[in-house]
Short mmCIF file of all heavy atoms in Angstrom, two decimals:
data_model
loop_
_atom_site.label_atom_id
_atom_site.label_comp_id
_atom_site.label_asym_id
_atom_site.label_seq_id
_atom_site.Cartn_x
_atom_site.Cartn_y
_atom_site.Cartn_z
N VAL A 54 47.66 -48.03 -118.06
CA VAL A 54 47.47 -47.35 -119.33
C VAL A 54 47.06 -48.54 -120.33
O VAL A 54 47.58 -49.62 -120.43
CB VAL A 54 48.80 -46.81 -119.79
CG1 VAL A 54 48.69 -46.37 -121.26
CG2 VAL A 54 49.22 -45.60 -118.99
N TRP A 87 50.42 -41.30 -118.79
CA TRP A 87 50.74 -39.97 -119.38
C TRP A 87 50.36 -38.77 -118.50
O TRP A 87 50.45 -37.63 -119.01
CB TRP A 87 50.22 -39.85 -120.76
CG TRP A 87 50.66 -40.95 -121.73
CD1 TRP A 87 49.77 -42.06 -122.01
CD2 TRP A 87 51.78 -41.19 -122.32
NE1 TRP A 87 50.51 -42.88 -122.79
CE2 TRP A 87 51.73 -42.38 -123.01
CE3 TRP A 87 53.01 -40.41 -122.38
CZ2 TRP A 87 52.72 -42.78 -123.89
CZ3 TRP A 87 54.05 -40.91 -123.16
CH2 TRP A 87 53.92 -42.09 -123.95
N GLY A 88 49.87 -39.05 -117.32
CA GLY A 88 49.24 -37.99 -116.45
C GLY A 88 50.23 -37.48 -115.46
O GLY A 88 51.43 -37.57 -115.52
N PRO A 91 54.43 -36.45 -113.61
CA PRO A 91 55.08 -37.01 -114.88
C PRO A 91 56.20 -37.90 -114.58
O PRO A 91 57.39 -37.77 -114.98
CB PRO A 91 55.63 -35.62 -115.54
CG PRO A 91 55.92 -34.84 -114.34
CD PRO A 91 54.96 -35.01 -113.30
N TYR A 92 55.84 -39.15 -114.05
CA TYR A 92 56.81 -40.13 -113.91
C TYR A 92 56.93 -41.12 -115.08
O TYR A 92 57.75 -41.82 -115.18
CB TYR A 92 56.51 -41.05 -112.64
CG TYR A 92 57.03 -40.29 -111.38
CD1 TYR A 92 56.37 -39.38 -110.69
CD2 TYR A 92 58.31 -40.61 -110.79
CE1 TYR A 92 56.89 -38.75 -109.58
CE2 TYR A 92 58.87 -39.98 -109.70
CZ TYR A 92 58.05 -38.95 -109.15
OH TYR A 92 58.60 -38.45 -107.98
N PHE A 93 55.73 -41.07 -115.88
CA PHE A 93 55.58 -41.98 -117.08
C PHE A 93 55.86 -43.44 -116.63
O PHE A 93 56.62 -44.09 -117.22
CB PHE A 93 56.60 -41.47 -118.13
CG PHE A 93 56.34 -40.05 -118.58
CD1 PHE A 93 57.18 -39.05 -118.12
CD2 PHE A 93 55.23 -39.74 -119.36
CE1 PHE A 93 56.90 -37.75 -118.42
CE2 PHE A 93 54.94 -38.50 -119.70
CZ PHE A 93 55.80 -37.44 -119.25
N LYS A 94 55.24 -43.82 -115.57
CA LYS A 94 55.29 -45.20 -115.12
C LYS A 94 54.25 -46.04 -115.71
O LYS A 94 52.96 -45.77 -115.53
CB LYS A 94 55.10 -45.12 -113.60
CG LYS A 94 55.27 -46.51 -112.91
CD LYS A 94 54.86 -46.48 -111.44
CE LYS A 94 54.71 -47.81 -110.83
NZ LYS A 94 53.95 -47.70 -109.53
N PHE A 95 54.63 -47.05 -116.43
CA PHE A 95 53.80 -48.03 -117.05
C PHE A 95 53.99 -49.40 -116.63
O PHE A 95 53.13 -50.21 -117.09
CB PHE A 95 53.96 -47.91 -118.64
CG PHE A 95 53.83 -46.59 -119.22
CD1 PHE A 95 54.95 -45.79 -119.52
CD2 PHE A 95 52.51 -46.07 -119.50
CE1 PHE A 95 54.78 -44.62 -119.97
CE2 PHE A 95 52.50 -44.74 -120.02
CZ PHE A 95 53.54 -44.01 -120.27
N ASP A 96 54.94 -49.67 -115.75
CA ASP A 96 55.37 -51.01 -115.51
C ASP A 96 54.90 -51.50 -114.04
O ASP A 96 55.61 -52.23 -113.49
CB ASP A 96 56.93 -51.11 -115.57
CG ASP A 96 57.54 -50.30 -114.49
OD1 ASP A 96 56.95 -49.29 -113.97
OD2 ASP A 96 58.67 -50.52 -114.14
N ASN A 99 55.05 -55.17 -113.48
CA ASN A 99 56.48 -55.70 -113.35
C ASN A 99 57.03 -55.29 -111.96
O ASN A 99 57.65 -56.15 -111.39
CB ASN A 99 57.35 -55.07 -114.33
CG ASN A 99 56.89 -55.51 -115.81
OD1 ASN A 99 55.99 -56.26 -116.03
ND2 ASN A 99 57.53 -54.99 -116.84
N VAL A 136 57.61 -46.19 -107.19
CA VAL A 136 58.08 -46.12 -108.60
C VAL A 136 59.09 -47.11 -109.05
O VAL A 136 59.20 -47.58 -110.19
CB VAL A 136 58.55 -44.66 -108.92
CG1 VAL A 136 58.96 -44.45 -110.31
CG2 VAL A 136 57.48 -43.63 -108.50
N PHE A 152 68.80 -36.51 -108.51
CA PHE A 152 67.83 -35.96 -109.40
C PHE A 152 67.19 -34.68 -108.65
O PHE A 152 67.02 -33.68 -109.33
CB PHE A 152 66.71 -36.97 -109.64
CG PHE A 152 65.55 -36.36 -110.45
CD1 PHE A 152 65.64 -36.28 -111.90
CD2 PHE A 152 64.38 -35.89 -109.80
CE1 PHE A 152 64.72 -35.67 -112.59
CE2 PHE A 152 63.33 -35.24 -110.54
CZ PHE A 152 63.47 -35.24 -111.95
N ARG A 170 63.91 -10.55 -114.01
CA ARG A 170 63.53 -9.77 -115.11
C ARG A 170 62.23 -9.13 -114.99
O ARG A 170 61.99 -7.98 -115.52
CB ARG A 170 63.52 -10.82 -116.36
CG ARG A 170 64.79 -11.04 -117.03
CD ARG A 170 64.86 -12.33 -117.83
NE ARG A 170 66.25 -12.46 -118.27
CZ ARG A 170 67.24 -13.01 -117.47
NH1 ARG A 170 66.95 -13.33 -116.20
NH2 ARG A 170 68.44 -13.15 -117.98
N ARG A 173 62.91 -5.96 -113.07
CA ARG A 173 63.56 -4.96 -114.06
C ARG A 173 62.50 -4.29 -115.03
O ARG A 173 62.54 -3.16 -115.15
CB ARG A 173 64.66 -5.67 -114.88
CG ARG A 173 66.04 -5.19 -114.64
CD ARG A 173 66.96 -5.78 -115.56
NE ARG A 173 67.79 -6.86 -114.96
CZ ARG A 173 68.22 -7.96 -115.65
NH1 ARG A 173 68.05 -8.02 -116.89
NH2 ARG A 173 68.94 -8.74 -114.99
N MET B 1 44.89 -43.96 -124.82
CA MET B 1 45.46 -43.07 -125.74
C MET B 1 44.89 -41.62 -125.62
O MET B 1 45.60 -40.64 -126.01
CB MET B 1 45.02 -43.55 -127.22
CG MET B 1 45.89 -44.69 -127.74
SD MET B 1 47.71 -44.33 -127.84
CE MET B 1 48.35 -45.14 -126.42
N PHE B 2 43.70 -41.61 -125.01
CA PHE B 2 43.20 -40.23 -124.81
C PHE B 2 44.18 -39.38 -123.93
O PHE B 2 44.40 -38.13 -124.12
CB PHE B 2 41.81 -40.25 -124.09
CG PHE B 2 41.39 -38.98 -123.64
CD1 PHE B 2 40.85 -38.06 -124.58
CD2 PHE B 2 41.33 -38.67 -122.24
CE1 PHE B 2 40.43 -36.78 -124.07
CE2 PHE B 2 40.84 -37.40 -121.87
CZ PHE B 2 40.45 -36.50 -122.82
N ALA B 3 44.82 -40.11 -122.82
CA ALA B 3 45.73 -39.44 -121.92
C ALA B 3 46.97 -38.88 -122.68
O ALA B 3 47.41 -37.78 -122.43
CB ALA B 3 46.10 -40.33 -120.81
N LEU B 4 47.40 -39.72 -123.62
CA LEU B 4 48.57 -39.23 -124.44
C LEU B 4 48.25 -38.05 -125.29
O LEU B 4 49.03 -37.07 -125.36
CB LEU B 4 49.10 -40.40 -125.27
CG LEU B 4 50.26 -40.17 -126.26
CD1 LEU B 4 51.49 -39.64 -125.49
CD2 LEU B 4 50.63 -41.42 -127.01
N ARG B 6 45.89 -35.92 -124.59
CA ARG B 6 45.79 -34.74 -123.77
C ARG B 6 47.04 -34.17 -123.38
O ARG B 6 47.40 -32.91 -123.47
CB ARG B 6 45.05 -35.16 -122.52
CG ARG B 6 44.56 -34.01 -121.59
CD ARG B 6 43.83 -34.51 -120.35
NE ARG B 6 44.75 -35.51 -119.69
CZ ARG B 6 44.19 -36.36 -118.73
NH1 ARG B 6 42.93 -36.12 -118.25
NH2 ARG B 6 44.98 -37.29 -118.19
N LEU B 7 48.06 -35.07 -123.09
CA LEU B 7 49.34 -34.65 -122.72
C LEU B 7 49.94 -33.86 -123.91
O LEU B 7 50.64 -32.79 -123.80
CB LEU B 7 50.34 -35.75 -122.32
CG LEU B 7 51.80 -35.38 -122.03
CD1 LEU B 7 51.99 -34.73 -120.73
CD2 LEU B 7 52.71 -36.61 -122.11
N TYR B 25 61.71 -12.26 -126.24
CA TYR B 25 62.73 -11.89 -125.26
C TYR B 25 64.11 -11.76 -125.89
O TYR B 25 64.88 -10.81 -125.75
CB TYR B 25 62.88 -12.81 -124.09
CG TYR B 25 63.91 -12.39 -123.07
CD1 TYR B 25 63.68 -11.33 -122.17
CD2 TYR B 25 65.06 -13.11 -122.99
CE1 TYR B 25 64.55 -10.95 -121.29
CE2 TYR B 25 65.96 -12.69 -122.06
CZ TYR B 25 65.77 -11.63 -121.30
OH TYR B 25 66.76 -11.26 -120.37
N LYS B 29 66.29 -8.48 -126.63
CA LYS B 29 67.67 -8.49 -126.15
C LYS B 29 68.60 -8.08 -127.30
O LYS B 29 69.54 -7.18 -127.05
CB LYS B 29 68.08 -9.80 -125.64
CG LYS B 29 69.08 -9.97 -124.53
CD LYS B 29 68.45 -9.57 -123.22
CE LYS B 29 69.66 -9.50 -122.22
NZ LYS B 29 69.25 -8.75 -121.10
N ILE B 93 61.25 -36.65 -121.91
CA ILE B 93 60.17 -37.63 -121.62
C ILE B 93 60.61 -38.95 -122.11
O ILE B 93 60.41 -39.94 -121.39
CB ILE B 93 58.90 -37.13 -122.28
CG1 ILE B 93 58.30 -35.96 -121.61
CG2 ILE B 93 57.82 -38.30 -122.30
CD1 ILE B 93 57.15 -35.28 -122.24
N LEU B 96 63.01 -40.38 -119.56
CA LEU B 96 62.30 -40.59 -118.33
C LEU B 96 61.52 -42.01 -118.46
O LEU B 96 61.57 -42.83 -117.54
CB LEU B 96 61.25 -39.48 -117.97
CG LEU B 96 61.21 -39.14 -116.58
CD1 LEU B 96 62.52 -38.68 -116.04
CD2 LEU B 96 60.21 -38.05 -116.40
N ILE B 97 60.91 -42.21 -119.59
CA ILE B 97 60.12 -43.41 -119.82
C ILE B 97 61.06 -44.69 -119.79
O ILE B 97 60.74 -45.64 -119.04
CB ILE B 97 59.26 -43.39 -121.18
CG1 ILE B 97 58.20 -42.38 -121.08
CG2 ILE B 97 58.84 -44.72 -121.53
CD1 ILE B 97 57.48 -42.14 -122.43
N THR B 100 62.29 -45.09 -116.04
CA THR B 100 61.33 -45.47 -115.09
C THR B 100 60.90 -46.95 -115.35
O THR B 100 60.75 -47.69 -114.36
CB THR B 100 60.07 -44.59 -115.19
OG1 THR B 100 60.50 -43.28 -115.04
CG2 THR B 100 59.16 -44.93 -114.04
N ASN B 101 60.79 -47.36 -116.61
CA ASN B 101 60.12 -48.72 -116.92
C ASN B 101 60.99 -49.72 -117.34
O ASN B 101 60.81 -50.92 -117.19
CB ASN B 101 59.11 -48.40 -118.01
CG ASN B 101 58.07 -47.50 -117.60
OD1 ASN B 101 57.30 -47.66 -116.73
ND2 ASN B 101 58.06 -46.18 -118.14
N PHE B 102 62.18 -49.37 -117.98
CA PHE B 102 62.98 -50.43 -118.65
C PHE B 102 64.40 -50.52 -118.14
O PHE B 102 65.20 -51.41 -118.50
CB PHE B 102 63.01 -50.09 -120.13
CG PHE B 102 61.62 -50.13 -120.69
CD1 PHE B 102 61.05 -48.86 -121.18
CD2 PHE B 102 60.79 -51.30 -120.76
CE1 PHE B 102 59.82 -48.85 -121.63
CE2 PHE B 102 59.50 -51.26 -121.21
CZ PHE B 102 59.03 -50.10 -121.66
#
Side-chain angles (χ1 to χ4, degrees):
Chain A
V54 174
W87 302 104
Y92 278 86
F93 301 102
K94 177 188 169 198
F95 304 97
D96 65 340
N99 297 358
V136 180
F152 177 83
R170 277 161 185 78
R173 242 185 259 153
Chain B
M1 280 302 103
F2 172 73
L4 176 57
R6 190 179 52 190
L7 176 75
Y25 180 76
K29 207 80 187 158
I93 287 173
L96 219 61
I97 289 174
T100 306
N101 301 291
F102 305 108

